[in-house]
Structures are given as C-alpha cells and as structure tokens.
Amino acid sequence: MASRCAARLPHPPCAAPQHVWASSRVSARPAQSGASRGRAVACAVSFRPCIDIHKGKVKQIVGSTLRDASDDGTALVTNFESDKSPAEFANIYKEDGLVGGHVIMLGGDPASRSAALEALHAYPGGLQVGGGINLENAMSYLNEGASHVIVTSYVFSDGKMNIERLTQLVELVGKQRLILDLSCRKKDGRYAIVTDRWQKFSDVFVDGPTLERLAAYADEFLVHGVDVEGKRLGIDEELVELLGSHSPIPTTYAGGVSTMDDLERIKKAGKSRVDVTVGSALDIFGGDLPYDTVVHWHKEQNLVSQR
C-alpha cells in the first residue's frame, strides 16, 4: 500500500465543542474515498499522553488482568497508583503542548467518571475520553470538554461488530469526534479485536480490509497491543508494522514501550505514520523512562516533519 502522508501542521487543541442534541447530527453514510474519508496521516510520530483512571485514581494497570467485579479470575496487577489528581496530569500535558492524549475510565463507577471529568475540565479540547462510552452518554463527555469519544465494547458487542450502533454514534457525534479502539490480541496468528476489559475475543480482525472499512466511520484509531500492554517488555512490532502499512487515518499504538529505542522502533516499523502512547514506563507513572526526554523526542519529530 502506498504511503498516504501529509506534512504535520501545528495542531493546537480545539475549543470544547458546543454540541447540542438536535444540531449535532450528521449523515451516517461513510465517505467513500479520498480526503473526505478522514484526516490525512502525517509522516511524523507524535507522543500521545494518557490518564488511566481506576476507582477514581490515576493508575497504571496491566490491562489483561482487568476483570468485572463478578469475576473470580486473575488478581488485578497494578504497576502504579498516583497521589496526583487527573487534573494535575492534564495540566502537565497542556503546559507541554501535547494534544490527542486519552483519558480512559477502567470501570464504570461514579468516582472514575468524576475523575475523568476533572481531567477534561482542566484541558478542554486537548484530551479524548473512553471507557463505557455509548449512545446515551457520548454527547455529555463532548459537552464536558472531550475532543473525541473512544468506543470499543459498545460497537463490538457479543463478539461481533454492531454496525447499527456504530452508525448511530456517527449520526450523533459526527465522524470527526469518534475514535474506534481496536485493541487486539493474537489468536490463531491474527490480531482479533478484544472487548469487555480486553477479556472477550471478537470475530473481527485487525487487517487491511477492516482498517479500510472502519476508517469511513472514525477520525482516528487507538490500538493497544494487549499481549504486551503494561508489561514493559517491548513493543508488538508486527502489529505496529501492520498499522503503518494499512491504516488510512491517524492511528495511535500503545503497549510495551520501555525505552527510547522502542520509540524509534515504532517510528521505523510504523513508517513514521503511527503515533505512540507510553504509560507504565514513564517516570511520572513510577517507571524509569524520563517523561521530559519523551516530550523532547516528540518535539524533535514534529520539527523535522515541518522542514
């Protein structure tokens, strides 16, 4: 597939969208081709920060150990729990000019929702939000300051893709405000999208045709390599290469980054077309990788792309 890249232009956070229920509806018919299908993919890697929230606290968790409260499975593995509030992290990202980061609620409890709103209010228009997003609550998060809503389980339900739900979300919030989380795990040699706290395999696989089809409904993709996420054991290079070769819209990869060399590997494997999230490895989350060094690397990539 030929590389479809555009020079990365300065991308300041947008103002918090002033949506109303009646006026926010757009045509759900996906764009068919060309630039109208979505934003061009920039040939520069950006660092996308994160704020993961569990029971109202900012935490870094090995995602594959998350379970519903009713499950008796493997114990939750927490890499880090911060004494800083979500708003403090949001302000750090705002001061450093980082946009397109995500706030993920790892649970549907009121404390996590309140904490997520705190982050959105601190950095309106600069953060995306995900975790339990559905047709009933999506607009409320946009109205609270999220730039986009991120959805997985609502669309990939009962192991299948529910195109009716996806279409309804596009009608409600607009393609330009929707991010599809295509987080996946290896199954029989292919990457299957997983849902419900990454415990359930769907029958939808991350590959060229799937990415091409779903790009008509979303502004971006977010893809966690679940098999390596939170373990700081290195990236899933095969998955990054797949995304860099086939995704026609901006895509962010997360999972396994532990060193600066991993960032360079993502840049190479993803053909400078895949952005990256770093979580547990950062020193602000209890890891060894200096956050300031990653931000400096991010700014270098974007300066090079503008020359």
Side-chain angles (χ1 to χ4, degrees), residues 15-21 23-24 124 139 142-146 177:
Q18 300 300 312
H19 292 284
V20 293
W21 287 91
S23 63
S24 62
M139 283 301 305
L142 294 175
N143 289 332
E144 293 287 353
R177 297 290 188 196

Side-chain angles (χ1 to χ4, degrees), residues 19 58 77 99 102 105 109 120 123 125 128 137 159 163 168 170 188 190 202 210 239 243 283 292-293 297 307:
H19 292 284
V58 176
V77 177
V99 296
H102 54 263
M105 296 172 283
D109 55 285
L120 298 180
Y123 192 7
Q128 308 157 356
N137 63 23
I163 199 69
Q168 289 173 337
V170 174
D188 300 327
R190 301 174 68 191
S202 74
T210 295
L239 176 57
L243 297 172
D283 57 359
D292 289 341
T293 301
W297 177 86
R307 289 174 184 168

Side-chain angles (χ1 to χ4, degrees), residues 42 53-54 82 93 95 127 151 207 222 225 227 248 283-284 307:
I53 298 171
H54 183 251
S82 179
Y93 303 153
E95 290 170 4
L127 295 167
V151 295
D207 54 24
L222 171 63
D227 291 323
D283 57 359
I284 61 173
R307 289 174 184 168

